[in-house]
Structures are given as structure tokens and as C-alpha cells.
Amino acid sequence: MSTAPVLLELRSVGKHFGGLYALQGLDLHVNEGEIVSVIGPNGAGKSTMFNVVTGLYEPDEGEIVFRGEVLAGLAPNQITKLGIARTFQNVHLFPNMTVLENAMVGQHCRTRAGVFGAVVKPPRQRREEEQIRLKAKECLEFFGTRLAGYRQEQPAFVLSYANRRRLEMARAMSTDPVLILLDEPTAGMNPRETLELRDNIVRMRDERGLTVLVIEHDMRVVKGVSDRVIALDYGRKIAEGTYDEVANDAQVIEAYLGTKAAG
């Protein structure tokens, strides 16, 4: 049992769209320094859970608490500033901006210059821009040669699919998060790319001190990164524990296969 403080907590969270409940009485917590994987079949409410945590949706019931602060009513940019960053199931980049510029966008929530500073560019503004550039480069170089060197001056649209996903992760890291939410980060990757990204997720925690909450379908990744696994189905938590405990849980097997486990 982890003795680390609770960083994020969902308390009886519900979210519905008309008569359809995407989340129902969801209780979930993430401790500081953990890598927690969320699994479940399509439509289980995993991405909806990310959306209510990051302020894209307002929960209809319950509350979400991050570092002791209730997130209800906060805008996505305010939640980002508190220290929560995320990626999306479908890659969201600025395709005509360079790789470096995309990563620099992540620092926007931390900048202090207003309209005057952006136009006049006094020395303080120029220093801030240089700091933003250096921070963005540092986050890109976390992924090694994949996003380093000449690639940083290329427009994002020329990147391979796998590198676009890496760039979105680098941009999230550049917001200076405490907690990073990764929505199916290995989707569409080949086996070699998947294993490389699996190692990147572990390094985010071990080298950069991030807490990670990840939605993932590839069980090799889930097994390789997770301190704890949470399974959802129809917006409810149906299992929680180690990878082996959850992978062998009868309700989880039934949710994925549609049949009851033998025995």
C-alpha cells in the first residue's frame, strides 16, 4: 500500500449526456509518484473521465480534488496552470507551426507578458521567450533523436504519426505539470515504437518526477508501466489492483470478452 500523498481524487463522479451515463459514481485516486493505468472496453468512460478532470466537461455529480483543491468550475487553462497536463486520443497539434513552436505553446500558461510586452518586446520579454525556447527544447530532447536537431524547425505536419504523438507529449510536458494524463499514447504505433514509448512513460516518472495517469489498450504497455491498474465498464470502476489482479478479475474478463470467466 502506497504511503505517498493523494494527488488526484475523484469522489462519486457522474457525467451523463441526456439519458446516457458516461460516468456513474466513479471513485478513483492517484498517489504522488504513481503510474496508474486505466483500462476498459470502448465506451467504458475512460476519455470522459479525462475530460472531466481537465475541465472540458463539468461533472454532473461528485467532486474532483487535485492537491486539496476542488476543480469544479475551473477552466481548462486554469487546471493546466495548477499542474495537470494531458494528451488526446486523436493527436491535437498545430500542423503548420514548427515542432519547436508546438512545444513552446505548452509554456503559454506560465508566461507573464501581456499584449504590450508581446508587441514592444522589452528585455524581460525577450528573456522570457528564450527561457520558453530552452524549456521546449529540453522537453523535445527527452525523446532523443525522434524530436531533436533539424526536426525542431520542421512543420509538425511532416512528422511521422509516432513522432506527432511524441510531440504532443512533449508539449504537455512543457507546461511544467505535476500530473500528466496520457490518452492512448501508443495507439497506431508498431511494436517497436510501442515498447520505446512504454519506456518513455516510465522515464517520465523516474527521471522527471511526474505522476502519470494513462489510458491504454495495449496490455504489454499496461503491464510494463503500471504501479496500479483500474478497470472501468459502463462508467463504473469494476476492478482495481496490480496488473495480475486486474487482468485475472472475472468482471474484467467478462467486460472485454462478453462472457463470464470459467471457474
Side-chain angles (χ1 to χ4, degrees):
M1 194 75 175
S2 174
T3 57
V6 175
L7 192 64
L8 175 73
E9 187 174 11
L10 279 67
R11 301 171 180 167
S12 301
V13 170
K15 179 64 187 176
H16 58 82
F17 301 94
L20 176 66
Y21 267 83
L23 298 173
Q24 303 184 66
L26 181 60
D27 292 312
L28 179 154
H29 75 277
V30 180
N31 295 325
E32 188 176 313
E34 274 193 309
I35 300 176
V36 177
S37 293
V38 180
I39 67 170
N42 290 332
K46 304 182 297 296
S47 291
T48 300
M49 183 264 292
F50 271 22
N51 288 338
V52 297
V53 169
T54 56
L56 294 179
Y57 297 155
E58 184 86 17
D60 295 309
E61 293 104 30
E63 63 180 6
I64 301 168
V65 180
F66 177 67
R67 296 174 115 182
E69 182 167 346
V70 176
L71 299 185
L74 297 182
N77 65 300
Q78 294 174 307
I79 292 173
T80 300
K81 197 166 185 178
L82 287 177
I84 300 177
R86 70 167 295 178
T87 65
F88 291 83
Q89 189 173 349
N90 299 311
V91 179
H92 289 188
L93 294 173
F94 298 100
N96 294 313
M97 291 170 59
T98 68
V99 168
L100 181 58
E101 287 168 344
N102 267 275
M104 289 172 67
V105 166
Q107 279 280 300
H108 178 70
C109 68
R110 306 292 178 194
T111 59
R112 286 175 288 185
V115 174
F116 175 80
V119 173
V120 178
K121 291 189 182 296
R124 187 180 70 178
Q125 168 70 3
R126 291 195 293 271
R127 288 194 298 270
E128 186 176 62
E129 284 189 3
E130 182 58 25
Q131 290 169 355
I132 290 168
R133 181 178 295 272
L134 291 174
K135 176 69 177 181
K137 284 188 172 185
E138 176 194 341
C139 293
L140 292 170
E141 288 164 2
F142 175 83
F143 296 93
T145 58
R146 303 294 190 184
L147 297 175
Y150 73 94
R151 293 186 189 276
Q152 295 180 7
E153 300 307 320
Q154 292 181 318
F157 72 80
V158 309
L159 294 178
S160 68
Y161 175 77
N163 280 342
R164 290 199 298 271
R165 296 202 75 92
R166 293 182 181 103
L167 175 54
E168 191 177 33
M169 293 167 71
R171 184 178 63 191
M173 290 166 60
S174 76
T175 67
D176 291 329
V178 176
L179 171 67
I180 188 165
L181 280 54
L182 305 176
D183 196 343
E184 298 190 27
T186 69
M189 291 190 178
N190 64 40
R192 181 176 58 82
E193 292 167 339
T194 295
L195 293 177
E196 183 179 322
L197 196 59
R198 178 197 66 185
D199 294 341
N200 289 151
I201 293 170
V202 175
R203 286 177 54 227
M204 284 182 184
R205 191 266 309 275
D206 294 348
E207 296 179 13
R208 301 188 68 90
L210 295 174
T211 301
V212 183
L213 182 61
V214 56
I215 294 170
E216 186 53 66
H217 281 295
D218 191 316
M219 289 300 134
R220 296 170 301 173
V221 176
V222 174
K223 185 175 183 179
V225 305
S226 305
D227 296 310
R228 193 157 43 89
V229 179
I230 295 169
L232 303 185
D233 193 29
Y234 294 108
R236 299 178 183 273
K237 182 170 67 178
I238 59 172
E240 179 177 359
T242 66
Y243 172 83
D244 288 334
E245 288 169 344
V246 173
N248 293 295
D249 185 274
Q251 287 190 80
V252 175
I253 294 170
E254 183 177 356
Y256 272 100
L257 302 180
T259 57
K260 292 187 181 294

